[in-house]
Amino acid sequence: MASIRDLKKDINYVLGDIIEAVYLWEASTNNRNSKEGTAVIENAITTFDDLIEKVNNKDVEDRAKHLKTVRTDLEVKATALVEQLNNLG
């Protein structure tokens, strides 16, 4: 099992890359501060907060299983955000 620090880094990097991709899309299409892009960014930030809160939750029966679930949630939610990003414009 990877360390908790690595999981937190993965959450940060994955969601940070999605936010950066929104900024790149906005810059390349001259759609700065678009409603669609803002919605994706807000969803990414909400997802980040939710996942970090889950990682920091120590009141679970099986911590290893809980962290695997968090990693799975990251994959599912990141995929959904990438689909939102691909549907922009």
Side-chain angles (χ1 to χ4, degrees):
M1 166 100 196
S3 72
I4 294 171
R5 179 179 45 190
D6 289 341
L7 179 56
K8 288 181 178 180
K9 283 182 180 181
D10 288 345
I11 292 169
N12 189 36
Y13 291 145
V14 168
L15 297 175
D17 286 347
I18 291 170
I19 291 171
E20 184 178 350
V22 172
Y23 288 139
L24 290 173
W25 172 82
E26 287 181 340
S28 68
T29 61
N30 291 326
N31 262 340
R32 298 189 190 267
N33 299 324
S34 66
K35 290 181 182 179
E36 302 91 357
T38 301
V40 174
I41 291 171
E42 288 175 358
N43 286 341
I45 292 170
T46 303
T47 300
F48 175 84
D49 291 342
D50 180 49
L51 292 175
I52 292 297
E53 183 178 327
K54 287 181 181 180
V55 169
N56 291 332
N57 183 7
K58 295 179 177 145
D59 298 331
V60 293
E61 282 186 31
D62 187 0
R63 182 107 166 115
K65 185 176 179 182
H66 174 70
L67 294 175
K68 286 181 184 179
T69 303
V70 173
R71 183 169 294 281
T72 303
D73 286 350
L74 171 62
E75 292 173 9
V76 169
K77 291 179 180 183
T79 302
L81 287 168
V82 169
E83 287 176 13
Q84 275 185 315
L85 177 63
N86 288 337
N87 291 330
L88 290 177

